[in-house]
Amino acid sequence: DAGITQSPRHKVTETGTPVTLRCHQTENHRYMYWYRQDPGHGLRLIHYSYGVKDTDKGEVSDGYSVSRSKTEDFLLTLESATSSQTSVYFCAISESRGQSTEAFFGQGTRLTVV
Amino acid sequence: DQQVKQNSPSLSVQEGRISILNCDYTNSMFDYFLWYKKYPAEGPTFLISISSIKDKNEDGRFTVFLNKSAKHLSLHIVPSQPGDSAVYFCAAIGKSGTYKYIFGTGTRLKVLA
């Protein structure tokens, strides 16, 4: 299994509070991603990173920010949580070398905004 | 604008028979396509992929077919087993571009014993 750890695994927070989710990898992969999974929507890309301090928006980036100060860590921050951000969040990593194409996913973080 | 579409939210198949999951895409810049399997409370796990220069890739019971002209791919599982019951996502990526994986909405497969 790829070395990806998401923390926390579960969180309940109140509307309007900031929340930070952490993704830590031990694979030294270049690319890191944050997705959210919602019924009827599948996996939607929030933000991704193609290197330290290099990030870009995905399909559903409004209300989220990210930071990557080290290769191994990719943080997702909800500046002011809303109920629409209740979801399961997945981090993924990938490497572009050679024939490798797949991304590897973490176990997910279930976030509930009340 | 959904670039990767899975139009069947669910599929039920008898054990031992073939399962066929379908996926359509719109972006011609995609050059790799992948299938992932997801069990409840777990992260998606990679199953099989195919390059846009091929039309078929096989790995054990799993075969992916790509029809570039129709912008369509399918995953065949033969024979289907109860342990295959899961949600299947197709994904696409343009390796020469921004390296973003775009996923479909998923198909829930139930294999009946």
Side-chain angles (χ1 to χ4, degrees):
Chain A
D1 288 346
I4 309 169
T5 304
Q6 290 186 232
S7 58
R9 293 293 312 280
H10 301 272
K11 186 169 182 68
V12 179
T13 193
E14 292 188 350
T15 298
T17 60
V19 177
T20 294
L21 308 183
R22 180 183 185 234
C23 178
H24 178 79
Q25 62 147 327
T26 58
E27 306 295 322
N28 200 36
H29 280 8
R30 176 183 177 187
Y31 297 93
M32 298 186 76
Y33 309 83
W34 278 107
Y35 288 88
R36 58 179 288 174
Q37 184 194 6
D38 304 288
H41 293 279
L43 291 160
R44 292 182 292 175
L45 181 64
I46 305 171
H47 280 280
Y48 75 109
S49 169
Y50 46 98
V52 173
K53 293 188 167 55
D54 292 323
T55 65
D56 202 357
K57 296 180 180 179
E59 305 161 274
V60 289
S61 58
D62 287 349
Y64 302 94
S65 63
V66 289
S67 67
R68 191 167 177 203
S69 58
K70 297 184 290 186
T71 298
E72 58 265 35
D73 289 325
F74 193 32
L75 304 180
L76 176 71
T77 297
L78 289 65
E79 305 289 348
S80 176
T82 68
S83 58
S84 65
Q85 293 175 313
T86 292
S87 187
V88 181
Y89 291 86
F90 289 99
C91 173
I93 64 174
S94 73
E95 187 54 73
S96 61
R97 279 193 292 267
Q99 296 298 308
S100 169
T101 59
E102 63 265 36
F104 300 95
F105 282 81
Q107 292 287 80
T109 295
R110 182 173 293 277
L111 177 68
T112 303
V113 183
V114 298
Chain B
D1 176 31
Q2 192 143 18
Q3 299 183 66
V4 179
K5 302 177 187 177
Q6 294 177 257
N7 292 319
S8 298
S10 63
L11 175 69
S12 290
V13 171
Q14 285 294 131
E15 181 180 5
R17 305 294 290 269
I18 185 171
S19 296
I20 300 176
L21 295 91
N22 294 303
C23 180
D24 298 294
Y25 64 97
T26 58
N27 190 337
S28 302
M29 299 304 292
F30 291 141
D31 51 15
Y32 272 90
F33 303 90
L34 308 93
W35 285 95
Y36 282 80
K37 176 179 181 179
K38 186 184 180 305
Y39 292 120
E42 295 183 9
T45 54
F46 170 74
L47 260 182
I48 191 169
S49 65
I50 188 167
S51 163
S52 60
I53 63 173
K54 296 186 176 181
D55 55 18
K56 178 182 173 181
N57 188 27
E58 196 171 349
D59 184 1
R61 296 186 298 115
F62 302 93
T63 303
V64 56
F65 295 93
L66 175 62
N67 182 334
K68 277 186 66 178
S69 61
K71 292 191 174 67
H72 177 83
L73 62 152
S74 61
L75 175 68
H76 293 210
I77 307 174
V78 181
S80 300
Q81 300 173 353
D84 296 329
S85 296
V87 177
Y88 289 79
F89 293 100
C90 70
I93 185 171
K95 284 191 80 173
S96 56
T98 55
Y99 226 86
K100 292 189 288 189
Y101 294 83
I102 304 300
F103 283 80
T105 51
T107 296
R108 183 177 300 276
L109 174 67
K110 184 179 289 188
V111 179
L112 307 170

